[in-house]
Amino acid sequence: MDDPFIIDGKPFRSRLILGTGKFSSPRIMMRSVQAANVEMVTVALRRVNLNDTSDHLLSFIDPKQYVILPNTSGAQNAEEAVRLARLAKASGISDWIKLEVTPDPRYLLPDGEETLKAAAVLVKEGFKVMPYINADPVLAKKLEEAGTVSVMPLGSPIGSNKGLKTLEMLKIIIEMSGIPVIVDAGIGCPSDAAFSMELGADAVLINTAVATAPDPVLMAESFSLAVQSGRKAYLCGLPQEQSRGQASSPLDGISKIS
Amino acid sequence: MDAILNKSKLSYQDFLQVLSAPGPYLFKIVQRSRELTLQRFGRTIQFYVPLYLSNECDNACVYCGFNKKRLIDRKTLTPSEIEDNCRNLKQKGFDQILLLTGESLKTAGVSYLLQAVSIAKKYFSFVGLEVFPMTEEDYGKMVAAGADGLTLYQETYHRETYKNMHPEGSKQSYEWRFKSVERALKAGFRKVGMGVLLGLYDWRFDVPRLAQHAINLQKKYWRSEFTFSFPRLNPLHIISNVPHPVSDRDLLQIICSMRLFFPEAGLVLSTRERSGLRDELLGAGITQISAGSRTSPGAYALLEKSGEQFAVSDTRELGEMLARVIEKGYDPVIKDWELDFAGVKSCRSS
């Protein structure tokens, strides 16, 4: 596998993670997952019936083929998030957990303080914790020290399609982080995803932009290509922006003309 | 108006303009409402079901089927009847329930409701209440017992109309009712549903006041989720004339304007409205609907029928509604809550 994306020692081919909410049907959701060529999908635990393993959403996702990343969306504090994570683990869904603690139901912005608290507990209990955070470099480092396997800073408020409004802070997080940085939330177009990857993000997570597109399957494929494209550009190294034009062919010879 | 419709956030003044925009703009307003609803909620529709626990009432609200002066069969469900109804509704496929009563503290008061909530919580992730106003302390007891949501309509913000419509019982007090939602929020309800009874007074007066009421509360109680309902006074049998009729077009404009002003709010539509109109409103801004509703106590499991609060127009059962929603290109959401989100720890283990 060339250039694998490694989280907690586990290699992934794909640097795109897809959320499963907001789709018109589980069938369209699965077709989008396939078109996006992803290996990891997030599932909101609040939508899953944990007492019933034949739950209709989970029954569509083959756990042998995909890593299911359950999320704690809806939890308003550390205690609720921890409880949800434990339930997910106990019911055999996963020991990966996308930690979301969002006390404000309107903008769903993450509570850093509670997230850090919950992360510390869950890491100790053996979870692979992937926290959703505001683009706060200091919090990102604290979470890394607490033992999370990645950090997932937002580009802009979730579902807003506004792109990378937190750009300057994202750059610092990427520069400072010793664990994978996954840009989560706010990415509206494939070019935002490509841009995130060019900056050096390790992966991106998309949901709304795919699920609410007129053709989610086509959009999923588009995001997959954008992520690959951005990653390749990052590996290659981006050219510096110049203030004036430069000819594509060397002009050195010109100066020698007398 | 075009500039307003292109804004990502409306000011209160913008909202008033949208709400009173002349006919030709309605199409554009609906379109914008559709976009915002899709962005926030995706292609999903949530389902809930109302369970009337009691139709006994000490109030004499002019428009209501439970008005104490009306000669109807009165009934308050016993605990085992509540259990039977909950079991039936769960088997039908629901996971969000709304428990409703009139206002009869003797027969269906606080302790009765506490018992009802704990029974319902055994079956449903989400339990909402639409009952008489209480003290903050009593609301707190409801939350501790497992109630997640509270729905309470002011009915009208026009005081004189309010007075005329509520001539007897404790519902006479406008103030007590007005402050109820805030008491519920203080007590820790995670979701509150607000609304006016459309048709009682001019909606151009009532809807802006409803929005203002909600905005003021939302700033202070920012952790709670706000939903809005759009009950339209149904004239059948109970009140011969609707004082301020609201047309289908008006209703559409109200719902879509509220969506533009509250992009994140759940918008709820009950079975008061007829099936064709409900189907249309689904895409336009509505995100939560009921199905197969009965408005007399215990009618999901009891043979003898007692008095209804209002006549249901859309009589389709859950299965038929699910099929319709899927056909319209939406994913029906039955469960969207966790049992212990509101801090209830005891019910998980029981």
Side-chain angles (χ1 to χ4, degrees), chain B residues 139 180-192 217-218 221 224-226:
Chain B
Y139 278 138
S180 302
V181 180
E182 177 156 21
R183 291 196 302 274
L185 286 163
K186 272 189 192 159
F189 274 98
R190 280 282 269 268
K191 263 195 194 183
V192 293
L217 291 173
Q218 213 169 34
Y221 303 95
S224 291
E225 213 172 313
F226 287 70

Side-chain angles (χ1 to χ4, degrees), chain A residues 22-24 45-48 73-74 76 79-80 83-84 87 103-107 159-160 208 212-213, chain B residues 9 38-40 42-43 190 218 222-224 264 329-331 333 335-338 340-341 345 348:
Chain A
K22 300 190 180 181
F23 284 91
S24 60
L45 289 164
R46 64 190 286 184
R47 288 272 165 98
V48 174
S73 91
Q76 291 198 329
E79 201 190 341
E80 288 176 2
R83 222 154 43 210
L84 264 177
L87 283 168
D104 154 38
R106 290 177 65 207
Y107 290 98
S160 69
T208 302
T212 66
Chain B
K9 268 278 132 93
L38 178 66
Q39 190 186 341
R40 175 70 184 195
R43 296 180 202 279
R190 280 282 269 268
Q218 213 169 34
W222 57 277
R223 286 185 173 84
S224 291
E264 305 91 6
Y330 289 88
D331 190 25
V333 171
K335 177 176 180 293
D336 188 39
W337 200 254
E338 269 309 307
D340 33 27
F341 263 173
K345 291 161 206 167
R348 176 74 67 180

